[in-house]
Short mmCIF file of all heavy atoms in Angstrom, two decimals:
data_model
loop_
_atom_site.label_atom_id
_atom_site.label_comp_id
_atom_site.label_asym_id
_atom_site.label_seq_id
_atom_site.Cartn_x
_atom_site.Cartn_y
_atom_site.Cartn_z
N VAL A 1 -17.97 54.52 8.78
CA VAL A 1 -16.63 54.00 8.71
C VAL A 1 -16.32 53.34 10.05
O VAL A 1 -16.43 53.98 11.10
CB VAL A 1 -15.61 55.14 8.45
CG1 VAL A 1 -14.20 54.62 8.49
CG2 VAL A 1 -15.90 55.85 7.15
N GLY A 2 -15.96 52.10 10.03
CA GLY A 2 -15.53 51.40 11.25
C GLY A 2 -14.09 51.73 11.56
O GLY A 2 -13.23 51.65 10.69
N VAL A 3 -13.83 52.13 12.79
CA VAL A 3 -12.48 52.52 13.20
C VAL A 3 -12.12 51.78 14.48
O VAL A 3 -12.83 51.84 15.48
CB VAL A 3 -12.38 54.05 13.41
CG1 VAL A 3 -11.00 54.43 13.91
CG2 VAL A 3 -12.72 54.80 12.14
N GLY A 4 -10.98 51.12 14.46
CA GLY A 4 -10.54 50.43 15.66
C GLY A 4 -9.43 49.44 15.33
O GLY A 4 -8.97 49.40 14.20
N HIS A 5 -9.06 48.77 16.29
CA HIS A 5 -9.56 48.64 17.62
C HIS A 5 -9.02 49.79 18.48
O HIS A 5 -7.84 50.05 18.52
CB HIS A 5 -9.26 47.26 18.21
CG HIS A 5 -7.81 46.89 18.34
ND1 HIS A 5 -7.01 46.61 17.26
CD2 HIS A 5 -7.01 46.81 19.43
CE1 HIS A 5 -5.79 46.34 17.69
NE2 HIS A 5 -5.76 46.45 19.00
N VAL A 6 -9.95 50.43 19.16
CA VAL A 6 -9.60 51.61 19.94
C VAL A 6 -8.81 51.22 21.19
O VAL A 6 -7.81 51.84 21.52
CB VAL A 6 -10.87 52.41 20.32
CG1 VAL A 6 -10.51 53.63 21.16
CG2 VAL A 6 -11.63 52.84 19.06
N PHE A 7 -9.26 50.19 21.87
CA PHE A 7 -8.60 49.70 23.08
C PHE A 7 -8.27 48.21 22.89
O PHE A 7 -8.77 47.58 21.96
CB PHE A 7 -9.53 49.85 24.29
CG PHE A 7 -10.00 51.26 24.52
CD1 PHE A 7 -11.31 51.62 24.24
CD2 PHE A 7 -9.14 52.23 25.01
CE1 PHE A 7 -11.77 52.91 24.46
CE2 PHE A 7 -9.58 53.53 25.22
CZ PHE A 7 -10.89 53.87 24.95
N ALA A 8 -7.49 47.68 23.78
CA ALA A 8 -7.18 46.24 23.74
C ALA A 8 -8.48 45.46 23.83
O ALA A 8 -9.42 45.85 24.52
CB ALA A 8 -6.26 45.87 24.90
N THR A 9 -8.53 44.36 23.10
CA THR A 9 -9.73 43.54 23.07
C THR A 9 -9.37 42.07 23.09
O THR A 9 -8.33 41.68 22.55
CB THR A 9 -10.60 43.87 21.83
OG1 THR A 9 -11.74 43.01 21.83
CG2 THR A 9 -9.83 43.71 20.55
N THR A 10 -10.22 41.27 23.68
CA THR A 10 -10.02 39.83 23.68
C THR A 10 -10.89 39.15 22.62
O THR A 10 -10.81 37.95 22.44
CB THR A 10 -10.34 39.23 25.06
OG1 THR A 10 -11.70 39.55 25.39
CG2 THR A 10 -9.41 39.77 26.13
N SER A 11 -11.71 39.92 21.93
CA SER A 11 -12.63 39.35 20.94
C SER A 11 -11.94 38.90 19.66
O SER A 11 -12.42 38.02 18.98
CB SER A 11 -13.72 40.36 20.57
OG SER A 11 -14.47 40.69 21.71
N LYS A 12 -10.85 39.54 19.34
CA LYS A 12 -10.13 39.19 18.12
C LYS A 12 -8.65 39.00 18.49
O LYS A 12 -8.08 39.78 19.22
CB LYS A 12 -10.26 40.30 17.09
CG LYS A 12 -11.70 40.60 16.75
CD LYS A 12 -11.91 40.77 15.30
CE LYS A 12 -13.33 40.97 14.89
NZ LYS A 12 -14.37 41.14 15.83
N GLN A 13 -8.07 37.96 17.93
CA GLN A 13 -6.68 37.65 18.23
C GLN A 13 -5.76 38.22 17.14
O GLN A 13 -6.18 38.50 16.03
CB GLN A 13 -6.50 36.14 18.33
CG GLN A 13 -7.36 35.52 19.42
CD GLN A 13 -7.09 36.07 20.80
OE1 GLN A 13 -5.94 36.23 21.20
NE2 GLN A 13 -8.14 36.36 21.54
N LYS A 14 -4.50 38.37 17.48
CA LYS A 14 -3.45 38.77 16.53
C LYS A 14 -3.66 40.16 15.94
O LYS A 14 -3.32 40.41 14.79
CB LYS A 14 -3.28 37.73 15.43
CG LYS A 14 -2.88 36.37 15.96
CD LYS A 14 -2.65 35.39 14.85
CE LYS A 14 -2.29 34.03 15.45
NZ LYS A 14 -2.04 33.03 14.45
N LEU A 15 -4.21 41.05 16.71
CA LEU A 15 -4.32 42.44 16.27
C LEU A 15 -3.08 43.19 16.71
O LEU A 15 -2.44 42.84 17.69
CB LEU A 15 -5.56 43.10 16.90
CG LEU A 15 -6.91 42.55 16.50
CD1 LEU A 15 -8.01 43.23 17.30
CD2 LEU A 15 -7.16 42.73 15.02
N GLY A 16 -2.78 44.25 16.02
CA GLY A 16 -1.69 45.11 16.45
C GLY A 16 -2.11 45.89 17.68
O GLY A 16 -3.15 45.63 18.27
N PRO A 17 -1.30 46.86 18.06
CA PRO A 17 -1.66 47.65 19.25
C PRO A 17 -2.91 48.48 19.00
O PRO A 17 -3.22 48.84 17.85
CB PRO A 17 -0.44 48.55 19.46
CG PRO A 17 0.28 48.56 18.15
CD PRO A 17 -0.04 47.28 17.46
N PRO A 18 -3.65 48.79 20.06
CA PRO A 18 -4.85 49.62 19.92
C PRO A 18 -4.49 51.00 19.36
O PRO A 18 -3.39 51.50 19.59
CB PRO A 18 -5.38 49.75 21.34
CG PRO A 18 -4.64 48.77 22.16
CD PRO A 18 -3.40 48.41 21.43
N ILE A 19 -5.43 51.61 18.65
CA ILE A 19 -5.17 52.92 18.05
C ILE A 19 -5.32 54.05 19.05
O ILE A 19 -4.73 55.10 18.89
CB ILE A 19 -6.05 53.18 16.82
CG1 ILE A 19 -7.54 53.23 17.20
CG2 ILE A 19 -5.78 52.15 15.75
CD1 ILE A 19 -8.42 53.83 16.13
N GLY A 20 -6.14 53.88 20.08
CA GLY A 20 -6.32 54.90 21.10
C GLY A 20 -7.28 56.00 20.68
O GLY A 20 -7.72 56.09 19.53
N LEU A 21 -7.59 56.85 21.64
CA LEU A 21 -8.57 57.91 21.43
C LEU A 21 -8.07 59.01 20.49
O LEU A 21 -8.86 59.59 19.73
CB LEU A 21 -8.99 58.52 22.77
CG LEU A 21 -9.79 57.59 23.69
CD1 LEU A 21 -9.96 58.23 25.06
CD2 LEU A 21 -11.13 57.24 23.07
N GLU A 22 -6.79 59.31 20.53
CA GLU A 22 -6.26 60.38 19.68
C GLU A 22 -6.38 60.02 18.20
O GLU A 22 -6.81 60.85 17.38
CB GLU A 22 -4.81 60.67 20.04
CG GLU A 22 -4.27 61.89 19.30
CD GLU A 22 -2.89 62.27 19.78
OE1 GLU A 22 -2.62 62.19 20.99
OE2 GLU A 22 -2.08 62.67 18.93
N THR A 23 -6.03 58.81 17.85
CA THR A 23 -6.16 58.38 16.45
C THR A 23 -7.63 58.28 16.04
O THR A 23 -7.99 58.64 14.92
CB THR A 23 -5.43 57.04 16.23
OG1 THR A 23 -4.05 57.22 16.56
CG2 THR A 23 -5.55 56.57 14.80
N LEU A 24 -8.46 57.84 16.95
CA LEU A 24 -9.90 57.83 16.69
C LEU A 24 -10.39 59.24 16.39
O LEU A 24 -11.13 59.46 15.42
CB LEU A 24 -10.67 57.23 17.87
CG LEU A 24 -12.19 57.36 17.82
CD1 LEU A 24 -12.77 56.60 16.63
CD2 LEU A 24 -12.80 56.89 19.13
N ALA A 25 -9.99 60.19 17.21
CA ALA A 25 -10.39 61.59 17.01
C ALA A 25 -9.89 62.11 15.66
O ALA A 25 -10.63 62.80 14.94
CB ALA A 25 -9.87 62.46 18.15
N ASP A 26 -8.66 61.78 15.29
CA ASP A 26 -8.12 62.18 13.99
C ASP A 26 -8.96 61.61 12.85
O ASP A 26 -9.28 62.30 11.88
CB ASP A 26 -6.67 61.72 13.83
CG ASP A 26 -5.69 62.53 14.66
OD1 ASP A 26 -6.05 63.64 15.11
OD2 ASP A 26 -4.56 62.04 14.86
N ALA A 27 -9.32 60.34 12.97
CA ALA A 27 -10.13 59.70 11.94
C ALA A 27 -11.49 60.37 11.81
O ALA A 27 -11.97 60.63 10.71
CB ALA A 27 -10.30 58.21 12.25
N ALA A 28 -12.10 60.69 12.95
CA ALA A 28 -13.42 61.33 12.93
C ALA A 28 -13.36 62.72 12.31
O ALA A 28 -14.28 63.12 11.58
CB ALA A 28 -13.98 61.40 14.35
N ARG A 29 -12.28 63.44 12.58
CA ARG A 29 -12.13 64.79 12.01
C ARG A 29 -11.86 64.77 10.52
O ARG A 29 -12.16 65.72 9.81
CB ARG A 29 -10.97 65.52 12.70
CG ARG A 29 -11.32 66.15 14.01
CD ARG A 29 -10.21 67.09 14.48
NE ARG A 29 -8.92 66.43 14.64
CZ ARG A 29 -8.50 65.84 15.74
NH1 ARG A 29 -9.26 65.82 16.81
NH2 ARG A 29 -7.31 65.27 15.79
N ASN A 30 -11.28 63.69 10.04
CA ASN A 30 -10.82 63.64 8.65
C ASN A 30 -11.74 62.88 7.70
O ASN A 30 -11.31 62.51 6.61
CB ASN A 30 -9.41 63.06 8.60
CG ASN A 30 -8.40 64.06 9.14
OD1 ASN A 30 -8.23 65.12 8.56
ND2 ASN A 30 -7.77 63.73 10.25
N THR A 31 -12.97 62.67 8.10
CA THR A 31 -13.95 62.07 7.20
C THR A 31 -15.30 62.74 7.40
O THR A 31 -15.60 63.20 8.51
CB THR A 31 -14.08 60.55 7.40
OG1 THR A 31 -14.99 60.03 6.42
CG2 THR A 31 -14.57 60.18 8.78
N SER A 32 -16.05 62.80 6.35
CA SER A 32 -17.41 63.32 6.46
C SER A 32 -18.40 62.19 6.74
O SER A 32 -19.58 62.45 6.97
CB SER A 32 -17.80 64.04 5.16
OG SER A 32 -17.75 63.13 4.07
N ARG A 33 -17.92 60.98 6.77
CA ARG A 33 -18.76 59.81 7.04
C ARG A 33 -18.89 59.59 8.55
O ARG A 33 -17.98 59.91 9.31
CB ARG A 33 -18.14 58.55 6.43
CG ARG A 33 -17.86 58.64 4.97
CD ARG A 33 -19.04 58.23 4.20
NE ARG A 33 -18.74 58.22 2.78
CZ ARG A 33 -19.59 57.87 1.88
NH1 ARG A 33 -20.80 57.50 2.24
NH2 ARG A 33 -19.28 57.90 0.61
N PRO A 34 -19.99 59.01 8.98
CA PRO A 34 -20.11 58.65 10.40
C PRO A 34 -19.06 57.61 10.78
O PRO A 34 -18.81 56.67 10.03
CB PRO A 34 -21.51 58.06 10.51
CG PRO A 34 -22.24 58.55 9.30
CD PRO A 34 -21.20 58.72 8.23
N VAL A 35 -18.45 57.80 11.92
CA VAL A 35 -17.43 56.88 12.42
C VAL A 35 -18.03 56.02 13.53
O VAL A 35 -18.63 56.55 14.47
CB VAL A 35 -16.21 57.66 12.96
CG1 VAL A 35 -15.28 56.76 13.74
CG2 VAL A 35 -15.48 58.33 11.81
N ILE A 36 -17.88 54.73 13.39
CA ILE A 36 -18.31 53.78 14.41
C ILE A 36 -17.06 53.15 14.99
O ILE A 36 -16.29 52.49 14.28
CB ILE A 36 -19.24 52.68 13.83
CG1 ILE A 36 -20.42 53.30 13.09
CG2 ILE A 36 -19.69 51.74 14.94
CD1 ILE A 36 -21.31 54.20 13.93
N ALA A 37 -16.85 53.36 16.27
CA ALA A 37 -15.66 52.85 16.94
C ALA A 37 -15.90 51.43 17.43
O ALA A 37 -17.01 51.08 17.85
CB ALA A 37 -15.29 53.75 18.11
N ILE A 38 -14.84 50.62 17.39
CA ILE A 38 -14.92 49.23 17.83
C ILE A 38 -13.61 48.85 18.53
O ILE A 38 -12.57 49.42 18.24
CB ILE A 38 -15.20 48.28 16.65
CG1 ILE A 38 -15.50 46.86 17.15
CG2 ILE A 38 -14.09 48.33 15.62
CD1 ILE A 38 -16.11 45.95 16.09
N GLY A 39 -13.71 47.91 19.42
CA GLY A 39 -12.53 47.34 20.05
C GLY A 39 -12.32 47.78 21.49
O GLY A 39 -11.91 48.89 21.74
N GLY A 40 -12.66 46.89 22.41
CA GLY A 40 -12.40 47.14 23.82
C GLY A 40 -13.30 48.20 24.44
O GLY A 40 -13.00 48.70 25.53
N ILE A 41 -14.39 48.52 23.79
CA ILE A 41 -15.29 49.55 24.30
C ILE A 41 -16.25 48.93 25.30
O ILE A 41 -16.80 47.85 25.07
CB ILE A 41 -16.03 50.24 23.14
CG1 ILE A 41 -15.01 50.88 22.20
CG2 ILE A 41 -17.04 51.25 23.66
CD1 ILE A 41 -15.58 51.35 20.89
N ASN A 42 -16.44 49.63 26.42
CA ASN A 42 -17.32 49.14 27.48
C ASN A 42 -17.97 50.33 28.18
O ASN A 42 -17.78 51.48 27.76
CB ASN A 42 -16.53 48.26 28.46
CG ASN A 42 -15.35 48.98 29.05
OD1 ASN A 42 -15.42 50.13 29.44
ND2 ASN A 42 -14.21 48.28 29.10
N THR A 43 -18.70 50.06 29.24
CA THR A 43 -19.41 51.15 29.94
C THR A 43 -18.45 52.15 30.59
O THR A 43 -18.84 53.28 30.83
CB THR A 43 -20.37 50.59 31.01
OG1 THR A 43 -19.63 49.78 31.93
CG2 THR A 43 -21.48 49.77 30.38
N GLU A 44 -17.23 51.74 30.85
CA GLU A 44 -16.28 52.64 31.50
C GLU A 44 -15.61 53.61 30.53
O GLU A 44 -15.12 54.66 30.95
CB GLU A 44 -15.23 51.83 32.24
CG GLU A 44 -15.82 51.04 33.39
CD GLU A 44 -14.82 50.10 34.03
OE1 GLU A 44 -13.62 50.14 33.68
OE2 GLU A 44 -15.25 49.30 34.88
N ASN A 45 -15.56 53.27 29.23
CA ASN A 45 -14.85 54.14 28.30
C ASN A 45 -15.69 54.61 27.11
O ASN A 45 -15.22 55.38 26.28
CB ASN A 45 -13.57 53.47 27.80
CG ASN A 45 -13.82 52.16 27.09
OD1 ASN A 45 -14.87 51.91 26.52
ND2 ASN A 45 -12.83 51.27 27.14
N ALA A 46 -16.93 54.16 27.02
CA ALA A 46 -17.79 54.50 25.88
C ALA A 46 -17.99 56.01 25.74
O ALA A 46 -17.96 56.55 24.63
CB ALA A 46 -19.13 53.79 25.98
N ALA A 47 -18.19 56.71 26.84
CA ALA A 47 -18.39 58.17 26.77
C ALA A 47 -17.15 58.84 26.20
O ALA A 47 -17.26 59.76 25.38
CB ALA A 47 -18.75 58.73 28.14
N ASP A 48 -15.97 58.40 26.60
CA ASP A 48 -14.73 58.98 26.07
C ASP A 48 -14.63 58.75 24.57
O ASP A 48 -14.18 59.63 23.82
CB ASP A 48 -13.51 58.36 26.76
CG ASP A 48 -13.41 58.75 28.22
OD1 ASP A 48 -13.90 59.84 28.59
OD2 ASP A 48 -12.83 57.96 28.99
N VAL A 49 -15.04 57.59 24.11
CA VAL A 49 -15.00 57.26 22.69
C VAL A 49 -15.93 58.19 21.91
O VAL A 49 -15.55 58.74 20.87
CB VAL A 49 -15.40 55.78 22.47
CG1 VAL A 49 -15.66 55.47 21.02
CG2 VAL A 49 -14.32 54.86 23.05
N LEU A 50 -17.11 58.40 22.42
CA LEU A 50 -18.07 59.28 21.76
C LEU A 50 -17.60 60.73 21.79
O LEU A 50 -17.72 61.45 20.80
CB LEU A 50 -19.44 59.12 22.38
CG LEU A 50 -20.04 57.71 22.18
CD1 LEU A 50 -21.18 57.47 23.15
CD2 LEU A 50 -20.47 57.51 20.75
N ARG A 51 -17.02 61.15 22.89
CA ARG A 51 -16.47 62.51 22.99
C ARG A 51 -15.30 62.73 22.04
O ARG A 51 -15.03 63.85 21.62
CB ARG A 51 -16.05 62.81 24.42
CG ARG A 51 -17.22 63.04 25.33
CD ARG A 51 -16.76 63.47 26.72
NE ARG A 51 -17.76 63.06 27.68
CZ ARG A 51 -17.55 62.27 28.72
NH1 ARG A 51 -16.34 61.83 29.00
NH2 ARG A 51 -18.55 61.95 29.52
N ALA A 52 -14.60 61.64 21.69
CA ALA A 52 -13.48 61.73 20.75
C ALA A 52 -13.95 61.92 19.32
O ALA A 52 -13.15 62.18 18.44
CB ALA A 52 -12.59 60.49 20.87
N GLY A 53 -15.25 61.77 19.09
CA GLY A 53 -15.79 62.02 17.76
C GLY A 53 -16.53 60.88 17.10
O GLY A 53 -17.07 61.04 16.01
N ALA A 54 -16.55 59.71 17.74
CA ALA A 54 -17.29 58.59 17.16
C ALA A 54 -18.78 58.90 17.17
O ALA A 54 -19.29 59.49 18.12
CB ALA A 54 -17.02 57.30 17.93
N HIS A 55 -19.44 58.51 16.10
CA HIS A 55 -20.90 58.70 16.02
C HIS A 55 -21.63 57.56 16.72
O HIS A 55 -22.80 57.69 17.03
CB HIS A 55 -21.33 58.74 14.56
CG HIS A 55 -20.88 59.97 13.86
ND1 HIS A 55 -19.61 60.11 13.33
CD2 HIS A 55 -21.51 61.13 13.61
CE1 HIS A 55 -19.50 61.30 12.79
NE2 HIS A 55 -20.64 61.94 12.94
N GLY A 56 -20.94 56.46 16.89
CA GLY A 56 -21.53 55.31 17.54
C GLY A 56 -20.46 54.33 17.95
O GLY A 56 -19.27 54.54 17.68
N ILE A 57 -20.89 53.27 18.62
CA ILE A 57 -19.96 52.25 19.10
C ILE A 57 -20.45 50.87 18.68
O ILE A 57 -21.65 50.65 18.52
CB ILE A 57 -19.78 52.31 20.63
CG1 ILE A 57 -21.13 52.15 21.34
CG2 ILE A 57 -19.07 53.58 21.05
CD1 ILE A 57 -21.04 52.03 22.85
N ALA A 58 -19.51 49.97 18.50
CA ALA A 58 -19.80 48.56 18.26
C ALA A 58 -19.12 47.79 19.38
O ALA A 58 -17.95 48.03 19.68
CB ALA A 58 -19.26 48.12 16.90
N VAL A 59 -19.86 46.91 20.01
CA VAL A 59 -19.32 46.16 21.14
C VAL A 59 -19.62 44.67 21.00
O VAL A 59 -20.59 44.29 20.35
CB VAL A 59 -19.89 46.68 22.49
CG1 VAL A 59 -19.52 48.13 22.72
CG2 VAL A 59 -21.38 46.48 22.57
N ILE A 60 -18.78 43.89 21.61
CA ILE A 60 -19.03 42.45 21.70
C ILE A 60 -18.96 42.04 23.17
O ILE A 60 -19.96 41.75 23.79
CB ILE A 60 -18.02 41.63 20.85
CG1 ILE A 60 -18.14 41.99 19.36
CG2 ILE A 60 -18.25 40.12 21.05
CD1 ILE A 60 -17.08 41.37 18.47
N SER A 61 -17.75 42.05 23.72
CA SER A 61 -17.53 41.59 25.09
C SER A 61 -18.30 42.41 26.12
O SER A 61 -18.73 41.86 27.14
CB SER A 61 -16.04 41.61 25.44
OG SER A 61 -15.34 40.74 24.60
N ALA A 62 -18.47 43.69 25.86
CA ALA A 62 -19.18 44.54 26.83
C ALA A 62 -20.59 44.05 27.10
O ALA A 62 -21.14 44.27 28.17
CB ALA A 62 -19.22 45.98 26.33
N VAL A 63 -21.15 43.33 26.14
CA VAL A 63 -22.49 42.76 26.31
C VAL A 63 -22.41 41.25 26.52
O VAL A 63 -22.94 40.72 27.49
CB VAL A 63 -23.40 43.09 25.11
CG1 VAL A 63 -24.71 42.34 25.18
CG2 VAL A 63 -23.64 44.60 25.02
N CYS A 64 -21.73 40.57 25.63
CA CYS A 64 -21.71 39.10 25.66
C CYS A 64 -21.01 38.52 26.89
O CYS A 64 -21.37 37.44 27.34
CB CYS A 64 -21.06 38.56 24.39
SG CYS A 64 -22.03 38.90 22.92
N ALA A 65 -20.04 39.22 27.43
CA ALA A 65 -19.31 38.72 28.60
C ALA A 65 -19.85 39.32 29.90
O ALA A 65 -19.33 39.01 30.98
CB ALA A 65 -17.83 39.02 28.46
N ALA A 66 -20.87 40.14 29.81
CA ALA A 66 -21.42 40.77 31.02
C ALA A 66 -22.23 39.76 31.83
O ALA A 66 -22.85 38.86 31.26
CB ALA A 66 -22.30 41.95 30.62
N LYS A 67 -22.23 39.94 33.13
CA LYS A 67 -23.06 39.08 33.99
C LYS A 67 -24.53 39.24 33.65
O LYS A 67 -25.29 38.29 33.72
CB LYS A 67 -22.82 39.40 35.47
CG LYS A 67 -21.48 38.96 35.99
CD LYS A 67 -21.33 39.25 37.46
CE LYS A 67 -19.96 38.83 37.93
NZ LYS A 67 -19.77 39.10 39.35
N ASP A 68 -24.91 40.46 33.29
CA ASP A 68 -26.29 40.77 32.92
C ASP A 68 -26.27 41.51 31.59
O ASP A 68 -26.20 42.75 31.55
CB ASP A 68 -26.93 41.61 34.02
CG ASP A 68 -28.40 41.90 33.77
OD1 ASP A 68 -28.89 41.71 32.63
OD2 ASP A 68 -29.07 42.34 34.73
N PRO A 69 -26.29 40.78 30.47
CA PRO A 69 -26.21 41.41 29.16
C PRO A 69 -27.29 42.46 28.91
O PRO A 69 -27.03 43.49 28.29
CB PRO A 69 -26.33 40.24 28.18
CG PRO A 69 -25.86 39.07 28.95
CD PRO A 69 -26.31 39.32 30.36
N LYS A 70 -28.48 42.22 29.40
CA LYS A 70 -29.57 43.19 29.21
C LYS A 70 -29.25 44.51 29.92
O LYS A 70 -29.42 45.59 29.35
CB LYS A 70 -30.89 42.62 29.72
CG LYS A 70 -32.07 43.52 29.47
CD LYS A 70 -33.36 42.87 29.90
CE LYS A 70 -34.54 43.80 29.66
NZ LYS A 70 -35.81 43.18 30.10
N ALA A 71 -28.77 44.42 31.13
CA ALA A 71 -28.41 45.63 31.89
C ALA A 71 -27.22 46.34 31.24
O ALA A 71 -27.18 47.57 31.18
CB ALA A 71 -28.09 45.28 33.33
N ALA A 72 -26.25 45.58 30.77
CA ALA A 72 -25.08 46.17 30.10
C ALA A 72 -25.51 46.91 28.84
O ALA A 72 -25.04 48.02 28.57
CB ALA A 72 -24.05 45.09 29.77
N THR A 73 -26.40 46.31 28.08
CA THR A 73 -26.90 46.95 26.87
C THR A 73 -27.65 48.23 27.21
O THR A 73 -27.46 49.27 26.56
CB THR A 73 -27.82 45.98 26.10
OG1 THR A 73 -27.07 44.81 25.77
CG2 THR A 73 -28.37 46.62 24.84
N ALA A 74 -28.47 48.19 28.23
CA ALA A 74 -29.23 49.37 28.64
C ALA A 74 -28.29 50.48 29.09
O ALA A 74 -28.49 51.66 28.74
CB ALA A 74 -30.20 49.01 29.76
N ARG A 75 -27.25 50.15 29.82
CA ARG A 75 -26.30 51.16 30.29
C ARG A 75 -25.55 51.77 29.11
O ARG A 75 -25.36 52.99 29.04
CB ARG A 75 -25.33 50.56 31.29
CG ARG A 75 -24.31 51.54 31.81
CD ARG A 75 -24.97 52.66 32.62
NE ARG A 75 -23.98 53.67 32.93
CZ ARG A 75 -24.10 54.96 32.68
NH1 ARG A 75 -25.21 55.46 32.16
NH2 ARG A 75 -23.13 55.80 32.98
N LEU A 76 -25.11 50.95 28.16
CA LEU A 76 -24.43 51.48 26.98
C LEU A 76 -25.36 52.39 26.18
O LEU A 76 -24.93 53.44 25.70
CB LEU A 76 -23.92 50.33 26.10
CG LEU A 76 -22.70 49.59 26.65
CD1 LEU A 76 -22.52 48.25 25.94
CD2 LEU A 76 -21.45 50.45 26.53
N ARG A 77 -26.62 52.02 26.08
CA ARG A 77 -27.59 52.88 25.38
C ARG A 77 -27.73 54.22 26.08
O ARG A 77 -27.80 55.27 25.43
CB ARG A 77 -28.94 52.15 25.32
CG ARG A 77 -30.02 52.91 24.62
CD ARG A 77 -29.80 52.78 23.13
NE ARG A 77 -29.68 54.10 22.57
CZ ARG A 77 -29.58 54.35 21.28
NH1 ARG A 77 -29.56 53.36 20.43
NH2 ARG A 77 -29.46 55.56 20.83
N GLU A 78 -27.78 54.21 27.41
CA GLU A 78 -27.85 55.46 28.18
C GLU A 78 -26.65 56.35 27.89
O GLU A 78 -26.79 57.56 27.73
CB GLU A 78 -27.90 55.16 29.68
CG GLU A 78 -29.18 54.55 30.16
CD GLU A 78 -29.09 54.11 31.62
OE1 GLU A 78 -28.03 54.32 32.29
OE2 GLU A 78 -30.07 53.52 32.11
N ILE A 79 -25.48 55.75 27.83
CA ILE A 79 -24.26 56.51 27.57
C ILE A 79 -24.30 57.11 26.17
O ILE A 79 -23.99 58.30 25.99
CB ILE A 79 -23.01 55.60 27.76
CG1 ILE A 79 -22.87 55.21 29.22
CG2 ILE A 79 -21.76 56.30 27.25
CD1 ILE A 79 -21.90 54.08 29.48
N VAL A 80 -24.68 56.31 25.18
CA VAL A 80 -24.77 56.83 23.81
C VAL A 80 -25.78 57.96 23.75
O VAL A 80 -25.52 59.00 23.14
CB VAL A 80 -25.12 55.69 22.83
CG1 VAL A 80 -25.47 56.24 21.45
CG2 VAL A 80 -23.97 54.69 22.73
N ASP A 81 -26.93 57.78 24.34
CA ASP A 81 -27.96 58.84 24.32
C ASP A 81 -27.49 60.11 25.01
O ASP A 81 -27.74 61.21 24.53
CB ASP A 81 -29.25 58.33 24.98
CG ASP A 81 -29.98 57.30 24.13
OD1 ASP A 81 -29.66 57.16 22.93
OD2 ASP A 81 -30.86 56.61 24.69
N ALA A 82 -26.78 59.96 26.12
CA ALA A 82 -26.30 61.13 26.87
C ALA A 82 -25.24 61.90 26.09
O ALA A 82 -25.15 63.13 26.21
CB ALA A 82 -25.72 60.68 28.22
N GLU A 83 -24.46 61.22 25.27
CA GLU A 83 -23.38 61.87 24.52
C GLU A 83 -23.82 62.32 23.14
O GLU A 83 -23.06 62.98 22.44
CB GLU A 83 -22.18 60.93 24.42
CG GLU A 83 -21.53 60.60 25.75
CD GLU A 83 -20.99 61.83 26.47
OE1 GLU A 83 -20.50 62.76 25.81
OE2 GLU A 83 -21.07 61.85 27.71
N SER A 84 -25.04 61.99 22.74
CA SER A 84 -25.52 62.37 21.41
C SER A 84 -26.06 63.78 21.39
O SER A 84 -26.49 64.34 22.32
CB SER A 84 -26.62 61.41 20.98
OG SER A 84 -26.11 60.12 20.84
#
């Protein structure tokens, strides 16, 4: 189940306010399906998203707008692995 946008994002326009970690956590608790969080997720907040109950993350800007997309991807993978 895709849940978001968790944080403010520049990837999509005309979205309402972000749902935040509390609503993400509620969604994760209330479904037996894996939750994939999306929206404004980056290396600074990915661990918090996973700790809130997301099974995984979907990112755009965290990789595509990074100075070094390969390094950003590797760092996000490290975070996901550490929280799994």
Side-chain angles (χ1 to χ4, degrees):
V1 175
V3 177
H5 62 289
V6 179
F7 303 107
T9 178
T10 58
S11 299
K12 303 224 176 6
Q13 301 301 315
K14 299 183 182 181
L15 295 175
I19 64 165
L21 292 171
E22 187 173 322
T23 300
L24 171 63
D26 287 343
R29 278 192 301 271
N30 288 296
T31 184
S32 60
R33 305 272 185 179
V35 168
I36 306 300
I38 189 166
I41 300 169
N42 56 44
T43 57
E44 295 173 7
N45 60 27
D48 293 332
V49 168
L50 295 163
R51 286 185 207 122
H55 291 82
I57 57 173
V59 299
I60 298 173
S61 298
V63 172
C64 294
K67 289 183 182 180
D68 184 345
K70 184 176 179 181
T73 301
R75 180 65 188 127
L76 286 164
R77 181 78 237 185
E78 289 172 3
I79 293 166
V80 169
D81 289 346
E83 295 299 325
S84 296

